[in-house]
Amino acid sequence: MSDQTTFIIGVDIGTGSAKTIGLGLNGSVIAGCQTAYETTHPAPGFSEQDPAILLAAVKNGIREVVAKAGQPPAAISFSCAMHSLIAMDAAGQPLTPAIIWADNRSDVIATTLRNTQQGKDIYHHTGTPVHAMSPLCKIRWLKQHLPEVFARAVMFAGIKEYILHHFFCRYVTDHSMASATGMFDIARKEWYPGALAFAGISTAHLPIPVPVTFVLTDLKPAIAAELGIPPETPFIVGGSDGCLAQLGSQALNPGHATLTIGTSGAMRMAGSQPLIDAEGRLFTYLLTDDVYITGGASNNGGVVLQWLVRDFLQQPLANLPSLVDAALQTDAGRLLCMPYLLGERAPVWNSQATAAFIGIQAGHTAAHFVRATLEGICFALLSIRKAMEETCGPVNEISVSGGFTSSRGWVQLLADIFGQPMHLRRQSDASVLGAIMLAAKALNLPLTVEADKEEGTIFQPDLSKKDGYEKKFQQFISLYKLLDQYDAGFRTQG
C-alpha cells in the first residue's frame, strides 16, 4: 500500500464473528480480517458469549488490518450487534458473560410485562418491543435470580460498551445502541425513568448516551502499542449493526427497505420520525437526530440451516452450500417449514414459538427439507414486511445484504416469494461500511462510496410463482397460530 493512502477501519462485532475492514478514502478495500467465535448455551434458553474472547477478536482484527496496511488508519469506527448485556463490577471486570440477543431466560418477565399498561408505556417511549432480547428484561432477571451479582454490579453495559471501556476507561453508548435496550426514550434522547424503575436501576448504572459520531481519543498507551497504532488515533463510537446496515446500503429514502439474512434476519426502513406500531410488532431505533429506523428482526436466519444440516441431516457444515444449490433445483411442494427454532421476535414476539416441518411424505429427501427451510425463512421475513407496510407505508425498493447473498439462488427465491425485485448493490458488509461512513462524517474526511446510481445486480421476481407463494404464505400464517395453540397447551401443563 502507498504511504500516502489514507484509510478508515470499520469493525463489526457480530453474533458469529468480528469483521474488520480497512477502506481507503477512494472506496477501495485495503485489508480485511474476520475472527469467528462461539455462542454457548449452558442452560435451556441461555445464549452467552465470553467477553474476553470478543475483546480478543476485535483486537486481532484491528491489529491484522493495520499490519497488512503497513500504516495506522485515519480513524477506527464500530458497528455492533444489539441487545447484549454484561454486568460490570467496580474494577471494570465482567460479573457475567455477555448475555446476547438470542437469550430467552427472561421470557416470563417479558411476557408478564408486555400487555400491561406499564409495558405499553415502555414500548411507546423506547420503541423497543418488550421481549426477552432486551437488556431491560435481562437486568430484571438478574435482580430476581442472581441478586448477589445484581448488587455488585455498578454498570450494565453491552459488548461494544465493554470494549470501549477497556480501551478508554469510559462508559459511553451511542444513541442507536441505547435505543435497542428498551430503556432509552427515543424522542427525548435520554434514559426513560419508567423503564429504569422496572429494571430497578438508576442512570448511574448505564453508560452515558452519545451521538453515533462521538469521537473518543486518548487510547490507553498499552492498548495502542498492542494494536500497532498511535494513542491519539480517533475512535468513533459508531452504532448498531441494524441502523448501520441501513446507512451502509444508502437506503435512507422513504420506501427504501433493507433486508439482511445472516445468522438471524431483519428488515428495516428509515424515516424522519419515530413510528410506533399500534400492535407492537416492530421496533423503532434512533440513528441520528433526524433519522429513525423502523422494522423487525427474526431470530431465525442461517442458524436454522446450520442446525438442519449439522444436527438433523447429520452432515458437515462444509456441505451446506452444495445442499442449498441442490435444494433450489427442487420443489418443496406441500412440505412447509416453520423456522422458529430459537423462538421468534418480529412480528410475533414469542420466545416460546417452536419450529416444525408440516406435510412430510415418504418421497421427501434432504433437498426438500433444505428447500422448505429456505422458504420458511423467507416467509418469516415476508410477515415482517407486511407489518412494516401497515405502519410505515409501501416498500418500494429492497436492498439485500448478509451472508445469504453468496447464494444467488436464495436471493432469487426471496424475490419470487416477495414478488418484488431484490437489489444487491455491493458485496461488502453494509454494517461495516456504515460505521466507516460515520467516521468520515465525524472527521470531515472525503470518503467515496459506490454511487447511488450504480445498480449492481437486480434479481427480478418470477411473477408466475406469485400466487402460489402467496397461498403458501397464508398457510404459513395459519399454521403458526395453530402451532402456538399447541405449544400453549404444553406451557400450561408446565
Side-chain angles (χ1 to χ4, degrees):
M1 188 187 79
S2 167
D3 289 343
Q4 302 304 312
T5 300
T6 301
F7 71 103
I8 300 170
I9 288 179
V11 183
D12 178 46
I13 310 165
T15 301
S17 67
K19 303 172 190 174
T20 307
I21 293 175
L23 194 73
L25 296 185
N26 62 358
S28 62
V29 175
I30 304 299
C33 176
Q34 184 168 358
T35 304
Y37 36 73
E38 294 184 351
T39 299
T40 59
H41 308 279
F46 284 42
S47 292
E48 300 178 345
Q49 293 179 334
D50 186 335
I53 291 175
L54 300 173
L55 175 63
V58 170
K59 287 181 175 180
N60 178 68
I62 296 172
R63 185 169 52 245
E64 283 207 17
V65 169
V66 171
K68 290 176 182 177
Q71 66 184 53
I76 298 174
S77 185
F78 290 93
S79 161
C80 188
M82 293 174 273
H83 313 301
S84 59
L85 182 76
I86 306 171
M88 306 291 295
D89 68 14
Q93 296 300 311
L95 294 168
T96 65
I99 305 171
I100 68 168
W101 59 267
D103 193 281
N104 283 330
R105 74 184 70 181
S106 61
D107 176 56
V108 172
I109 292 170
T111 302
T112 302
L113 174 64
R114 183 178 301 121
N115 294 320
T116 66
Q117 188 57 51
Q118 185 182 22
K120 293 175 182 177
D121 288 343
I122 289 173
Y123 172 65
H124 179 79
H125 282 86
T126 68
T128 301
V130 176
H131 184 264
M133 69 176 185
S134 74
L136 167 72
C137 296
K138 291 168 181 168
I139 293 173
R140 178 76 175 224
W141 185 92
L142 288 175
K143 183 178 182 181
Q144 292 183 4
H145 295 271
L146 296 174
E148 69 287 353
V149 172
F150 180 85
R152 288 180 59 199
V154 300
M155 180 62 57
F156 294 99
I159 291 168
K160 181 152 69 82
E161 293 74 33
Y162 160 76
I163 290 170
L164 291 177
H165 180 267
H166 180 81
F167 285 1
F168 296 95
C169 282
R170 296 179 63 183
Y171 284 115
V172 296
T173 185
D174 69 87
H175 287 162
S176 71
M177 293 294 289
S179 65
T181 63
M183 297 180 287
F184 189 73
D185 190 318
I186 57 175
R188 299 176 64 89
K189 301 179 182 65
E190 60 187 31
W191 298 115
Y192 175 54
L196 302 192
F198 178 79
I201 60 174
S202 69
T203 56
H205 290 97
L206 296 171
I208 297 172
V210 297
V212 291
T213 52
F214 187 79
V215 179
L216 290 163
T217 53
D218 297 325
L219 182 67
K220 292 179 184 177
I223 300 295
E226 189 178 353
L227 301 179
I229 59 176
E232 62 271 18
T233 301
F235 280 67
I236 288 72
V237 65
S240 66
D241 55 357
C243 288
L244 293 185
Q246 200 77 20
L247 176 63
S249 297
Q250 300 180 70
L252 300 183
N253 295 326
H256 188 172
T258 58
L259 189 153
T260 303
I261 304 177
T263 303
S264 56
M267 194 167 180
R268 314 171 188 87
M269 196 154 59
S272 59
Q273 58 186 343
L275 298 174
I276 304 300
D277 176 34
E279 298 182 35
R281 296 169 297 178
L282 304 173
F283 59 68
T284 294
Y285 301 142
L286 176 66
L287 176 56
T288 60
D289 287 347
D290 56 356
V291 178
Y292 293 82
I293 308 298
T294 299
S298 169
N299 284 356
N300 302 284
V303 66
V304 185
L305 277 176
Q306 292 174 358
W307 169 85
L308 178 74
V309 170
R310 182 188 60 237
D311 299 323
F312 187 72
L313 299 177
Q314 298 286 298
Q315 296 197 35
L317 286 177
N319 291 354
L320 198 155
S322 61
L323 287 168
V324 168
D325 289 343
L328 291 167
Q329 302 304 312
T330 189
D331 184 349
R334 289 175 54 190
L335 188 61
L336 184 64
C337 172
M338 302 301 296
Y340 301 141
L341 191 69
L342 297 177
E344 188 53 300
R345 288 183 283 173
V348 297
W349 300 101
N350 182 359
S351 295
Q352 299 302 316
T354 58
F357 286 102
I358 307 295
I360 301 173
Q361 296 178 304
H364 284 136
T365 65
H368 292 100
F369 281 96
V370 175
R371 171 75 183 219
T373 302
L374 294 171
E375 290 182 359
I377 294 169
C378 293
F379 286 142
L381 287 161
L382 181 58
S383 69
I384 295 173
R385 192 197 78 178
K386 300 279 188 182
M388 285 176 59
E389 290 188 316
E390 292 173 12
T391 300
C392 310
V395 174
N396 302 319
E397 182 177 347
I398 301 177
S399 293
V400 295
S401 65
F404 93 114
T405 59
S406 63
S407 169
R408 297 176 68 88
W410 192 357
V411 180
Q412 183 61 54
L413 176 66
L414 187 72
D416 294 343
I417 288 176
F418 274 54
Q420 193 168 359
M422 298 292 152
H423 297 254
L424 179 60
R425 284 189 167 84
R426 57 178 57 84
Q427 295 295 333
S428 60
D429 187 274
S431 296
V432 173
L433 180 58
I436 291 170
M437 291 169 69
L438 285 182
K441 180 180 179 180
L443 300 177
N444 197 28
L445 295 173
L447 176 68
T448 299
V449 295
E450 293 180 15
D452 290 342
K453 294 180 181 179
E454 185 173 332
E455 290 294 344
T457 304
I458 303 177
F459 294 79
Q460 296 289 351
D462 182 347
L463 295 179
S464 69
K465 300 177 180 179
K466 186 175 186 297
D467 290 343
Y469 279 129
E470 182 61 30
K471 181 179 179 180
K472 202 167 188 180
F473 174 69
Q474 294 305 323
Q475 294 170 335
F476 178 90
I477 296 299
S478 297
L479 280 169
Y480 165 72
K481 295 176 181 177
L482 290 172
L483 282 170
D484 189 43
Q485 292 175 11
Y486 174 78
D487 291 335
F490 283 92
R491 293 196 292 270
T492 301
Q493 294 173 21

